Amino acid sequence: SVRWGGLVHEWAKWADAVSKVYLKHKVLALPDVANDPTLAEAAKVCAGEGWTKECTQRVFRHNARVRDQLNQIEHDRNLLETEYSHSVAGAGLLPQNQEIRLPTGLGLEYKKAESSAELGVCKLAPKDMACIAARREEVETVKVLHAELTKVVGKLTDLSHGLVGDIQQPKADVEQHVEVVRKLAELIHRQNAPDMLSQEGWRTLNAVSAVVLKQTLGRVEEESNVAFHDILLHHASPHILYIGAFKGL
């Protein structure tokens, strides 16, 4: 089994502190580009770089609507960076490790909760019907994938008595179930559910996702003494690294 839960406590404290940073200032990490996938991806690049003036000018120089927001974006980011340095890094709440891998089922749980929270925001006046439809589809898709993954991993671990063994050349009695997990992994990968948290990644969160992350890790921390079965994918890949138990604290 993978001893994963022991890391959760410090990451849960970190996520709680990050959520308070965002809630205090009530600003987003990304500008209002949710309905433009190209700009949304570009915005994530700049967020990852800490919203430097060079990045925002380079990425948004041809988009007048977003360019007009740059001064506010830079102001907001400066507030967040200062608050993070003081309330998180300066308060000794940084996890010992720079990164933590997320079991796939947990990544789906977080993705579903985040999409559900965003759906609630989309329903606020004035309602954004396109946003509502997109978030509702995400919630339903992730819910189905999570349920199917839980079911097939349960069958697989029962058949193998918790020891799945070599997933590249599985035993005949579990081969069919391993193949189902592979197909599910490909579908899950397309949903962009997170498979890793990093300290630097705090900049790509916002007031909604930061709170959802805090709640998700808090739930895991409460149940950290209970082993559970899940899968782990290679980072940013649909390829399976591990199927089996994840041991708590």
Side-chain angles (χ1 to χ4, degrees):
S1 64
V2 173
R3 288 196 61 81
W4 175 82
L7 301 174
V8 173
H9 175 67
E10 57 185 37
W11 281 91
K13 289 199 302 183
W14 172 83
D16 179 55
V18 170
S19 72
K20 290 175 181 175
V21 168
Y22 277 101
L23 290 173
K24 179 177 179 178
H25 295 289
K26 297 185 175 66
V27 296
L28 299 179
L30 306 181
D32 184 19
V33 294
N35 294 324
D36 187 329
T38 302
L39 282 179
E41 288 306 309
K44 287 181 181 179
V45 172
C46 285
E49 294 181 14
W51 281 113
T52 62
K53 183 174 292 187
E54 293 77 14
C55 187
T56 52
Q57 290 177 344
R58 182 181 74 248
V59 169
F60 300 115
R61 66 182 181 276
H62 299 306
N63 189 287
R65 177 177 62 82
V66 176
R67 192 174 64 244
D68 290 342
Q69 300 176 21
L70 291 185
N71 288 336
Q72 187 61 47
I73 290 171
E74 290 167 8
H75 176 263
D76 290 348
R77 291 310 308 180
N78 286 333
L79 283 178
L80 291 174
E81 293 285 345
T82 300
E83 185 69 26
Y84 183 87
S85 295
H86 173 72
S87 300
V88 183
L93 295 174
L94 295 179
Q96 184 175 353
N97 296 330
Q98 287 291 322
E99 301 170 338
I100 181 176
R101 295 298 314 278
L102 294 181
T104 303
L106 182 61
L108 286 173
E109 179 185 332
Y110 170 66
K111 175 75 173 181
K112 181 174 65 176
E114 181 184 23
S115 296
S116 296
E118 290 175 352
L119 175 59
V121 174
C122 296
K123 290 179 178 179
L124 297 175
K127 290 185 178 181
D128 185 336
M129 300 312 295
C131 176
I132 290 173
R135 297 293 85 75
R136 187 170 283 155
E137 182 179 354
E138 277 183 1
V139 170
E140 291 305 313
T141 300
V142 172
K143 186 185 297 183
V144 169
L145 288 173
H146 195 189
E148 289 300 314
L149 180 67
T150 301
K151 183 168 65 176
V152 72
V153 169
K155 288 181 180 177
L156 190 52
T157 52
D158 284 345
L159 283 172
S160 57
H161 306 290
L163 299 173
V164 178
D166 187 355
I167 57 177
Q168 302 304 322
Q169 295 181 318
K171 296 178 181 179
D173 58 341
V174 299
E175 185 175 6
Q176 178 182 354
H177 297 293
V178 171
E179 186 58 32
V180 172
V181 174
R182 286 200 184 101
K183 291 178 179 178
L184 282 172
E186 292 176 3
L187 296 172
I188 290 166
H189 178 64
R190 295 175 197 167
Q191 294 300 313
N192 295 317
D195 61 14
M196 177 185 289
L197 293 180
S198 71
Q199 292 184 31
E200 292 299 314
W202 80 269
R203 295 188 177 94
T204 62
L205 297 171
N206 57 47
V208 174
S209 59
V211 171
V212 172
L213 178 61
K214 178 194 76 168
Q215 293 171 341
T216 302
L217 292 181
R219 195 275 304 163
V220 175
E221 184 184 17
E222 289 177 0
E223 301 175 3
S224 59
N225 61 332
V226 180
F228 62 96
H229 292 92
D230 205 331
I231 70 173
L232 191 67
L233 301 181
H234 288 276
H235 178 50
S237 164
H239 301 298
I240 302 168
L241 178 64
Y242 172 78
I243 303 174
F246 288 79
K247 198 169 182 71
L249 291 169

